[in-house]
Amino acid sequence: MVATAPAGLEASSLVKRFGGTAAVDGIDVSVRPGEFFTVLGPSGCGKTTFLRLVAGILTPDSGRIAIGGADVSQAPIWARRIGLVFQNYALFPHMTVAQNVAFGLAMRRVPRAERGPRVERALATVRLEGYGRRKPSELSGGQQQRVALARAIVVEPDLLLLDEPLSNLDARLREDMRSELADLQHRLGITTVLVTHDIHEAFSLSDRVAVMRAGRVEQVGAPTEIYDRPANRFVAGFLGPVNEWTGQVQRVQGGVAEIMLDGLRTCRVAALPGSAAGDAATVVLRPERLALAPALATPAPTMSAAGALAGRIDQVAHLGNLVNYRIALDGRMLLAQALPERSGALAVGTPVRLSWDDADLAAVAP
Amino acid sequence: MTGAAAGRAALGVRLGGGVWIFLGPALLLMLAVYLAPLIDTAVISLHPNTPAGIDRSHWTTANFLRLVDTYYWGVLVRTLRVSIIITLLSVLLAYPVAVWLAGLGPRGQTWAILVYMSPWFVNAVVKSFGWTLILGNNGLVNNGLRALGLIDTPLRLMLNETGIVIGLLPGHFLFVLLPLWAALKGLDGNLRWAAMTLGARPWQVFLRVTVPLTLPALLAGAIINFTMNMAAFAAPALLGGTRTRVLSFIAYQVNLEELNWPFGGALAVAMLVVTLGFVMLAQGITARGLAGPRR
Amino acid sequence: MKRTLTFFNLLMIVYVVAPIILVVWMSFTPSMRFEVPIASFSLRWYQELFSYDAFIDSAWLSLRLGLLSALIATALGFLAAYGLVRGRPPGSAVLLGLFTAPLIVPAVVYGIAMLQFTNLVGLYGAFPALLAAHVVIVLPFAVRTLLAALEGQGPELEWAAMSLGARRRHAVLLVTLPLCLRGMVSAFLFCFLISFSEVTVTLFMAGPAHQTLPVRIFNYVSDRIDPTMAAVSALIVLVSVALVLVLNRLGALGTVRK
């Protein structure tokens, strides 16, 4: 459907202030042509402002936005060749589905004869053939969502911008729409920027994710990359629960740092750029990477010699397919996530031995 | 960030001064046909009136000093008295009406409110005319009482202050009723139950919970009601008669019969200042709202 | 308790609507005097009415004034409300205060000001001056009604339209305006109702050539008392009640409360 080659998006040193506070405080982002790129962050982090700057709803105080290499920083919204999908869909309630989809074609002066077939094609793309004569109010939330998508893609935009598009749908529908959206983006190959606070949405859809906090981008990377190697404590914690140790760098060699964890033991992890012996360090470990076994059982042979620590189960929560444990260890609590034992979850009070592979640890900036 | 902030940026940046394309027409109209006349009148009120017309070369405060002359002072006092009586009666009547309204179903409330609003949207002249048919010497009331043999000479129900009060009250009643009704509806129903579980009787709940919590709304409505009463023209003119004149009718006579515009202007300025003062007072009360001191 | 309240309210309702009902009822009297018709009804005063050229002229004037002022005020009100809601220029509160000031400033004061001002600029008794004054008087109702309509809409639909290539004027004409239609109709009817009922300012500034229906009645009340007046009044009541019922259906009466 997209005739031209997909365009990339470049945002550099983007700043937008409201009153005294900077909602967007110096953002540099580069979205590759054809990429599905997500801006992820808690509410109030400036991600919606960023999207509105890219869309042209807002104008930046400083910085530059380029779509497909062309500077559009000062271009009005109607001249930016973008497709925009809103959280509440913003379908025109007084127009039919077909009229909604045809709106952009009329505004862009597409010849009348071409409009009908293109509207049909766009509706087919979102699996809504035959819904053209309905009013938006007669459709379900998921169908409205698809009309909004059809309306956005029918004009063959350079860039598709999605503002929390799935957050108004119920859980089941959201799952369906997520895979449909991924499929659609893949088929059309259209450069897409999604803004969301939903980590699952971001991870399941995106080629790359930018995590935002307080107007700044904290980290950009592929989902697994930022999950396993978070750049700092905020990113680590925002993407899911972590066990966290503080310690001191003993020495750095060949990009690997040897870190003493809380006087517990030393570990070897990928060094943060610029870190040197004597620096304070923070090391994180995801709960699902913390292995535990009942202390009475024979020690597992895979455990590293330095590994096993003795702890005691303090709290148990069943998630069905998984079990979350809170484990007391030397006066602090650790989190572990494991498949349930065949005989069920371990009971509170059970002594356990904890271990991990150092490769799963990540040193993070404070 | 808020939608408001985004809205400002969107239009403000895109259109720059273009927002004035939208605001310009109404603004020009209000400046030319509203502010300009009001300012002109304020200026005229500071000039002396001479047999040859307004003397624009001299300035004077004499027109304002004349307002405290015995005759005009008397008119002012009557206007105040009538207005205050109407407001007090409205406040007293508004509680039982508002409580009754709040107890009706949604449809019933809509219709009942419409009925209570009807005197406001029906032309004041028409209503006053209706009142003359009821209150006059040969009106419905006097004829009825005579037919029943209760009176020999007709009661004087109009062409006096009584007539003004009776005729004006319904038209401005809604300015007390509607805020009070809204405040009553906004009251947390659990407050009543909470008070009752603490041993309060219904009338105690009314006096110690309902009234204090609705007082700000009532007060604000009462002040608006009062300013409307002060400014009313047609109803007092038709129901007050030649001897019971109020300020607004004096203003009519001075401006259109005596053609003394400087003094007429002074009357207008005085009414404007008094009204705006009271409205600001009411707004202060509304702004403080229910967050004000509570018991 | 409940019964007492209901009884009190019935009395109260009788009190507030009595003059309105009576005027309408009285207009059907067959007699020369004001007598409440009970046995026989007659339309003679309505027929009489149409032979009074003065009343016919006044009715036309009121109608013209109401329609024109409502039309102009609705247009100006939409533009102003749009500018205030979407633009939020510095001093928005002051501007809104100015646009709605005629609700607060006594009509007598504005009437005096217009009497003196139209004389100053040589437009005393001119129809355009009267029309302008009526637009000013009804403008607050248009602005408030349309403010509510626009605030309820939010800017997203316009953004959506503009992201699809629509210029602002197209977004306003094709999206915002059609969706404000209910508000526009409400504003228009409300403005017409207010203009149609206006007495005070008109009485002060209109001059003898432009007597609207209410002003005509006001002037007649002193010297000519016959049931024709009741017939005119009944017609005014009819128009007002019809308009208010429509406005109520449109949900537009809430703007009075603020």
Side-chain angles (χ1 to χ4, degrees):
Chain A
M1 189 150 198
V2 175
T4 50
L9 165 71
E10 296 281 341
S12 39
S13 313
L14 217 49
V15 174
K16 180 67 189 179
R17 287 195 180 78
F18 294 115
T21 53
V24 162
D25 191 9
I27 284 188
D28 293 282
V29 155
S30 166
V31 180
R32 297 165 195 148
E35 187 176 31
F36 198 121
F37 189 90
T38 294
V39 179
L40 174 69
S43 63
C45 72
K47 55 186 192 298
T48 298
T49 304
F50 170 72
L51 188 92
R52 289 181 177 175
L53 287 170
V54 174
I57 292 169
L58 300 174
T59 307
D61 295 336
S62 64
R64 182 173 174 276
I65 300 166
I67 299 174
D71 187 343
V72 295
S73 311
Q74 301 302 322
I77 177 171
W78 52 78
R80 287 196 185 189
R81 299 185 48 84
I82 48 161
L84 192 50
V85 175
F86 292 88
Q87 185 171 0
N88 62 3
Y89 319 136
L91 297 178
F92 307 128
H94 57 304
M95 300 182 193
T96 63
V97 167
Q99 286 168 337
N100 263 281
V101 177
F103 186 88
L105 299 175
M107 288 297 119
R108 300 234 148 110
R109 300 188 190 286
V110 171
R112 206 170 280 273
E114 256 180 65
R115 290 179 204 166
R118 281 179 70 171
V119 168
E120 285 302 311
R121 264 205 314 273
L123 286 175
T125 308
V126 296
R127 300 196 293 112
L128 279 178
E129 301 98 328
Y131 281 80
R133 303 176 75 112
R134 306 245 189 134
K135 282 282 179 77
S137 57
E138 298 170 279
L139 302 183
S140 71
Q143 290 170 331
Q144 291 185 23
Q145 171 66 266
R146 297 211 290 262
V147 175
L149 269 171
R151 187 178 67 178
I153 59 172
V154 74
V155 294
E156 299 178 0
D158 292 337
L159 187 62
L160 183 61
L161 300 173
L162 309 172
D163 184 7
E164 306 249 5
L166 304 181
S167 62
N168 278 6
L169 302 174
D170 62 47
R172 270 295 301 280
L173 206 52
R174 196 153 50 209
E175 297 266 330
D176 294 347
M177 273 310 292
R178 207 185 282 162
S179 59
E180 211 168 297
L181 194 60
D183 185 47
L184 184 76
Q185 197 269 340
H186 194 74
R187 268 187 291 145
L188 300 179
I190 186 171
T191 314
T192 303
V193 176
L194 166 77
V195 156
T196 186
H197 66 272
D198 185 326
I199 294 147
H200 298 291
E201 203 169 296
F203 278 25
S204 59
L205 286 168
S206 319
D207 297 318
R208 286 192 306 148
V209 176
V211 180
M212 267 189 81
R213 174 174 62 158
R216 291 172 174 277
V217 172
E218 298 283 324
Q219 189 176 10
V220 183
T224 48
E225 191 182 330
I226 61 169
Y227 186 75
D228 292 336
R229 302 266 166 255
N232 55 38
R233 292 178 62 201
F234 169 77
V235 175
F238 182 70
L239 297 180
V242 280
N243 294 302
E244 195 179 290
W245 288 277
T246 52
Q248 201 181 33
V249 178
Q250 311 260 290
R251 61 199 184 92
V252 182
Q253 197 177 35
V256 176
E258 212 164 86
I259 296 172
M260 185 67 189
L261 299 179
D262 284 341
L264 205 61
R265 41 162 284 200
T266 52
C267 66
R268 292 165 57 78
V269 299
L272 285 173
S275 75
D279 288 357
T282 307
V283 173
V284 296
L285 177 70
R286 295 282 173 201
E288 67 271 22
R289 301 293 189 187
L290 184 64
L292 82 171
L296 296 177
T298 46
T302 53
M303 267 182 206
S304 65
L309 301 166
R312 186 177 292 275
I313 305 251
D314 183 66
Q315 215 178 60
V316 183
H318 297 261
L319 300 182
N321 53 345
L322 290 170
V323 185
N324 279 342
Y325 295 103
R326 198 170 74 179
I327 299 147
L329 173 83
D330 289 345
R332 60 163 295 177
M333 297 293 174
L334 292 180
L335 300 172
Q337 191 175 57
L339 296 170
E341 304 278 309
R342 271 205 187 78
S343 53
L346 298 171
V348 171
T350 312
V352 288
R353 297 164 70 85
L354 302 166
S355 61
W356 64 80
D357 187 338
D358 273 2
D360 292 328
L361 293 175
V364 296
Chain B
M1 64 155 282
T2 63
R8 164 177 47 231
L11 190 76
V13 172
R14 292 271 146 261
L15 284 175
V19 65
W20 298 106
I21 294 173
F22 292 96
L23 292 168
L27 186 58
L28 280 180
L29 175 82
M30 292 308 282
L31 291 179
V33 193
Y34 198 65
L35 276 190
L38 289 174
I39 291 169
D40 174 53
T41 290
V43 171
I44 287 177
S45 74
L46 291 169
H47 288 303
N49 191 40
T50 65
I54 304 159
D55 178 5
R56 292 211 180 233
S57 58
H58 290 89
W59 297 85
T60 177
T61 56
N63 297 311
F64 287 95
L65 295 176
R66 215 179 135 196
L67 289 174
V68 294
D69 271 8
T70 338
Y71 175 69
Y72 297 110
W73 190 248
V75 171
L76 177 67
V77 169
R78 173 185 300 125
T79 312
L80 279 170
R81 182 169 57 230
V82 169
S83 303
I84 290 172
I85 290 172
I86 294 171
T87 302
L88 287 180
L89 283 174
S90 298
V91 166
L92 280 179
L93 296 171
Y95 265 110
V97 174
V99 169
W100 178 72
L101 279 177
L104 295 178
R107 276 187 71 85
Q109 282 190 31
T110 311
W111 283 105
I113 286 203
L114 217 50
V115 170
Y116 278 109
M117 277 173 83
S118 59
W120 177 75
F121 61 70
V122 171
N123 190 306
V125 174
V126 170
K127 266 182 309 180
S128 305
F129 172 60
W131 281 116
T132 62
L133 301 182
I134 294 172
L135 303 176
N137 283 352
N138 286 309
L140 210 56
V141 173
N142 278 322
N143 280 350
L145 291 177
R146 252 197 306 260
L148 293 172
L150 292 173
I151 51 168
D152 298 325
T153 52
L155 300 174
R156 274 183 54 83
L157 295 172
M158 56 176 278
L159 304 182
N160 56 17
E161 291 181 20
T162 314
I164 300 178
V165 170
I166 293 176
L168 212 47
L169 192 146
H172 298 161
F173 185 57
L174 81 162
F175 294 98
V176 181
L177 177 64
L178 292 181
L180 181 65
W181 169 69
L184 266 184
K185 286 221 307 185
L187 272 191
D188 182 358
N190 288 334
L191 286 175
R192 275 176 60 87
W193 303 118
M196 288 198 198
T197 59
L198 296 171
R201 298 298 168 90
W203 63 268
Q204 287 172 314
V205 173
F206 181 76
L207 284 183
R208 305 190 61 149
V209 178
T210 310
V211 171
L213 285 177
T214 50
L215 209 56
L218 182 76
L219 209 53
I223 291 173
I224 298 300
N225 176 278
F226 173 75
T227 62
M228 307 285 286
N229 299 339
M230 287 285 289
F233 173 75
L238 294 175
L239 296 170
T242 39
R243 282 186 303 143
T244 320
R245 288 310 189 196
V246 294
L247 218 48
S248 58
F249 196 83
I250 296 298
Y252 178 79
Q253 285 183 318
V254 169
N255 278 286
L256 283 150
E257 290 169 16
E258 298 169 22
L259 295 176
N260 182 349
W261 290 357
F263 182 52
L267 280 166
V269 170
M271 289 177 78
L272 182 62
V273 169
V274 170
T275 306
L276 289 185
F278 277 106
V279 168
M280 281 177 194
L281 186 64
Q283 278 172 346
I285 291 169
T286 317
R288 235 179 49 193
L290 294 175
R294 280 188 207 177
R295 279 196 274 167
Chain C
M1 182 66 191
K2 178 111 189 164
R3 272 198 192 156
T4 323
L5 261 188
T6 307
F7 183 67
F8 169 82
N9 274 273
L10 285 180
L11 285 184
M12 195 62 194
I13 286 172
V14 168
Y15 165 43
V16 300
V17 301
I20 306 168
I21 302 284
L22 194 69
V23 162
V24 177
W25 197 354
M26 206 75 103
S27 68
F28 294 108
T29 187
S31 121
M32 271 300 286
R33 296 181 45 241
F34 283 109
E35 277 170 1
V36 179
I38 294 162
S40 59
F41 289 81
S42 146
L43 290 176
R44 68 178 277 205
W45 299 111
Y46 287 88
Q47 286 162 355
E48 201 88 348
L49 189 64
F50 289 102
S51 57
Y52 280 134
D53 285 345
F55 275 119
I56 303 293
D57 289 348
S58 292
W60 276 120
L61 177 65
S62 280
L63 199 64
R64 237 175 348 138
L65 206 51
L67 291 176
L68 281 175
S69 64
L71 199 67
I72 297 169
T74 306
L76 294 186
F78 176 79
L79 291 176
Y82 187 89
L84 287 174
V85 170
R86 296 281 193 264
R88 294 199 188 270
S92 287
V94 176
L95 284 171
L96 181 59
L98 177 63
F99 296 150
T100 54
L103 287 179
I104 294 168
V105 173
V108 176
V109 173
Y110 183 50
I112 294 170
M114 279 308 271
L115 166 73
Q116 301 184 350
F117 187 71
T118 50
N119 272 283
L120 181 78
V121 297
L123 283 172
Y124 177 69
F127 181 76
L130 184 61
L131 178 61
H134 271 241
V135 174
V136 166
I137 294 162
V138 302
L139 187 66
F141 295 91
V143 170
R144 279 190 169 188
T145 307
L146 290 163
L147 268 183
L150 281 169
E151 271 164 358
Q153 206 178 88
E156 284 86 0
L157 290 172
E158 277 176 23
W159 291 345
M162 289 194 279
S163 79
L164 293 166
R167 301 289 200 273
R168 181 171 295 280
R169 59 177 181 279
H170 293 136
V172 170
L173 281 176
L174 295 175
V175 175
T176 313
L177 204 57
L179 291 174
C180 277
L181 209 58
R182 196 187 179 90
M184 298 285 279
V185 172
S186 299
F188 180 84
L189 294 178
F190 220 137
C191 289
F192 181 83
L193 173 68
I194 301 297
S195 164
F196 194 70
S197 306
E198 215 296 318
V199 196
T200 314
V201 175
T202 314
L203 191 65
F204 272 82
M205 68 169 289
H210 291 116
Q211 296 197 29
T212 59
L213 221 39
V215 169
R216 182 76 70 185
I217 303 175
F218 183 89
N219 287 335
Y220 266 50
V221 156
S222 40
D223 45 70
R224 184 198 209 100
I225 293 265
D226 64 40
T228 323
M229 298 245 316
V232 184
S233 299
L235 287 178
I236 293 181
V237 170
L238 183 75
V239 171
S240 303
V241 168
L243 281 171
V244 166
L245 289 179
V246 175
L247 282 168
N248 184 49
R249 261 207 97 80
L250 289 169
L253 291 179
T255 41
V256 184
R257 279 170 209 161
K258 281 184 276 181

